[in-house]
Amino acid sequence: MKNLLLGALLLASSLSAMTLSELIESSLSRAPSLEIINARLVANKQNIDIADQFENPELLLTKNTIDSSQAMSQTVLTLKQKIPTYSKREKREDIALSEEKLLQEKLHAAKVKLVGRIKNEAYTIWELREEIQIIDEYIILTRQNIRLYESYTSVDNNQHMGIMKAELSLSDLKVQRSALEAKKAAAYARLSYLAALKVTDLTIDLSIKKKPNLQQLQNSLKESNPDLLITQKEIQKQSYAVALAEINNYPDINLIAGYAYREKFDNYFNFGVGLSLPIYGTEDAKEEKERAILLEKKSKQSDIELAVLAQLELYYEQMLSSYKIHHIIQDEALPQVAHMFELSSSSISVGSDLFKYIDVLFQKLDLEKKSIKAVANYKRAEAQISQLRGEIK
């Protein structure tokens, strides 16, 4: 029943348009790439249990070949149990627990990365869809003006050339539209893969609402960046590894108990204690190795901090540039072109040169496409900053 309900939900989702937030929520609940890390978390819980256990005891049975009439003839059953040095089991458990925290951070980082990729594809779909929409409008407008120009003018050679240019421009618009449709289909395919769900329609509306502020974008960056949090957990785990290496300099104790059976003499018990002697420096070398790894991870943390700040500034500049481009086009360029467009449109109705009208038409189209691209680039850079901050919404 549960599988049927899930299947019905997936089918319904694939047939209806989804919002970006719905798509992200759905993807985070069942993406295969996330299930891999979840499986590792489940497996690591066994490591936590193992870390606190004693090693298996050893049971030995020995018998010598001396004649049973001799007192030295015996069969000995020996039990040996290794007892770890004080706190060694706790330190092994600390490592396993820190591994669980590390895996949880990696799971969160994978979610953040998945959300970032989904947003990027969603913004690409919006960009392509908006370009297709304005091209459709320009195709209709170009056709209307070709008919209008033909109805208002007698066709001489120069006018005929104008109509031919308009028709060539119409063909170019159709070619652009076909290429955009192919790119949109490819973007939907990539989005469906990321979402683990067939996506055929996405409800999304983008706009540039405010000028970016670098100080606001930097807030809480170090406390929430996935790469930095992972590195912090790696350092914590390695610190426990160093502590375990330190305690390994102290030998474990082996408790030994045996029972000797003698056929013609009294049986007896024996007891003993054994330990390894760390006289060759192996444990010291292992400890130094773990300390070197710890230093390496701390240096890596410093490098990541610098890299994250540099990436933030890069994405901020991309947002700022897109913001400026969008407002230059919307506030300065398009109003001027609109006036030129009105003059050209009115001149068309009295049979004036169609060449000038087509040039103005395509200048306006180019500006509108740049404005759409600026909005999409602004949102992509914003999504990258959101990814740096570890956000999954």
Side-chain angles (χ1 to χ4, degrees), residues 34-138:
L34 302 180
E35 287 303 317
I36 294 172
I37 303 178
N38 278 321
R40 291 177 184 170
L41 278 165
V42 173
N44 189 68
K45 290 187 182 298
Q46 304 305 316
N47 288 336
I48 296 172
D49 293 335
I50 293 170
D52 194 41
Q53 299 296 327
F54 288 97
E55 291 186 22
N56 290 328
E58 296 182 35
L59 187 64
L60 300 90
L61 180 65
T62 59
K63 179 177 176 57
N64 60 37
T65 59
I66 299 175
D67 188 87
S68 61
S69 62
Q70 302 295 318
M72 294 297 294
S73 174
Q74 57 186 359
T75 301
V76 181
L77 184 66
T78 304
L79 180 67
K80 183 168 67 173
Q81 175 66 60
K82 179 182 287 188
I83 305 298
T85 306
Y86 174 74
S87 81
K88 183 177 289 187
R89 285 189 302 150
E90 287 80 357
K91 287 178 170 54
R92 288 202 301 256
E93 188 176 17
D94 287 340
I95 292 175
L97 289 170
S98 63
E99 175 66 17
E100 181 178 33
K101 294 178 181 178
L102 175 58
L103 287 172
Q104 288 172 347
E105 287 299 337
K106 287 184 177 180
L107 176 61
H108 180 75
K111 289 180 179 180
V112 170
K113 186 176 181 180
L114 177 62
V115 170
R117 294 175 66 186
I118 288 174
K119 285 182 178 179
N120 184 68
E121 294 300 338
Y123 298 159
T124 298
I125 288 171
W126 176 86
E127 178 184 0
L128 295 169
R129 192 168 62 197
E130 291 295 309
E131 289 188 10
I132 290 171
Q133 183 176 333
I134 64 169
I135 285 178
D136 285 341
E137 294 173 359
Y138 276 75

Side-chain angles (χ1 to χ4, degrees), residues 281-308:
T282 303
E283 288 73 16
D284 289 334
K286 289 181 179 179
E287 182 182 343
E288 290 304 315
K289 174 185 174 183
E290 298 299 340
R291 291 187 183 278
I293 294 174
L294 179 59
L295 288 174
E296 180 266 332
K297 292 188 180 299
K298 288 182 176 180
S299 297
K300 178 182 176 182
Q301 182 183 29
S302 299
D303 183 66
I304 290 176
E305 288 177 356
L306 294 174
V308 167

Side-chain angles (χ1 to χ4, degrees), residues 58-318:
E58 296 182 35
L59 187 64
L60 300 90
L61 180 65
T62 59
K63 179 177 176 57
N64 60 37
T65 59
I66 299 175
D67 188 87
S68 61
S69 62
Q70 302 295 318
M72 294 297 294
S73 174
Q74 57 186 359
T75 301
V76 181
L77 184 66
T78 304
L79 180 67
K80 183 168 67 173
Q81 175 66 60
K82 179 182 287 188
I83 305 298
T85 306
Y86 174 74
S87 81
K88 183 177 289 187
R89 285 189 302 150
E90 287 80 357
K91 287 178 170 54
R92 288 202 301 256
E93 188 176 17
D94 287 340
I95 292 175
L97 289 170
S98 63
E99 175 66 17
E100 181 178 33
K101 294 178 181 178
L102 175 58
L103 287 172
Q104 288 172 347
E105 287 299 337
K106 287 184 177 180
L107 176 61
H108 180 75
K111 289 180 179 180
V112 170
K113 186 176 181 180
L114 177 62
V115 170
R117 294 175 66 186
I118 288 174
K119 285 182 178 179
N120 184 68
E121 294 300 338
Y123 298 159
T124 298
I125 288 171
W126 176 86
E127 178 184 0
L128 295 169
R129 192 168 62 197
E130 291 295 309
E131 289 188 10
I132 290 171
Q133 183 176 333
I134 64 169
I135 285 178
D136 285 341
E137 294 173 359
Y138 276 75
I139 287 174
I140 294 171
L141 189 60
T142 303
R143 284 172 176 167
Q144 290 175 345
N145 281 285
I146 288 174
R147 290 195 295 268
L148 183 64
Y149 191 74
E150 289 175 335
S151 65
Y152 274 89
T153 63
S154 59
V155 180
D156 58 24
N157 288 337
N158 289 334
Q159 294 162 346
H160 185 68
M161 287 294 291
I163 294 173
M164 289 180 64
K165 179 177 180 181
E167 290 175 342
L168 286 173
S169 299
L170 184 61
S171 297
D172 181 57
L173 288 172
K174 292 177 180 178
V175 170
Q176 290 184 47
R177 191 188 190 285
S178 179
L180 291 171
E181 284 287 358
K183 291 180 179 179
K184 187 177 77 169
Y188 267 116
R190 292 191 297 269
L191 185 62
S192 297
Y193 161 72
L194 293 171
L197 170 70
K198 181 65 177 177
V199 183
T200 57
D201 192 10
L202 181 66
T203 302
I204 182 172
D205 186 24
L206 303 181
S207 61
I208 296 179
K209 296 181 179 180
K210 60 181 180 179
K211 187 176 182 179
N213 183 290
L214 182 59
Q215 186 62 46
Q216 290 179 354
L217 295 174
Q218 287 175 334
N219 290 341
S220 304
L221 186 63
K222 289 185 179 181
E223 289 77 15
S224 60
N225 178 259
D227 290 336
L228 283 174
L229 291 176
I230 287 174
T231 305
Q232 289 171 7
K233 293 298 184 292
E234 287 177 342
I235 289 172
Q236 186 180 47
K237 179 184 174 183
Q238 190 58 34
S239 297
Y240 290 133
V242 170
L244 180 60
E246 288 177 348
I247 203 70
N248 279 338
N249 278 288
Y250 299 92
D252 298 328
I253 298 174
N254 287 299
L255 297 180
I256 304 169
Y259 179 76
Y261 168 76
R262 296 189 295 181
E263 185 176 344
K264 296 181 180 181
F265 297 89
D266 292 338
N267 301 327
Y268 63 90
F269 290 95
N270 56 44
F271 302 96
V273 177
L275 52 84
S276 58
L277 300 177
I279 61 176
Y280 297 115
T282 303
E283 288 73 16
D284 289 334
K286 289 181 179 179
E287 182 182 343
E288 290 304 315
K289 174 185 174 183
E290 298 299 340
R291 291 187 183 278
I293 294 174
L294 179 59
L295 288 174
E296 180 266 332
K297 292 188 180 299
K298 288 182 176 180
S299 297
K300 178 182 176 182
Q301 182 183 29
S302 299
D303 183 66
I304 290 176
E305 288 177 356
L306 294 174
V308 167
L309 290 174
Q311 287 177 327
L312 176 64
E313 291 182 9
L314 172 64
Y315 298 138
Y316 163 75
E317 291 297 335
Q318 291 177 0

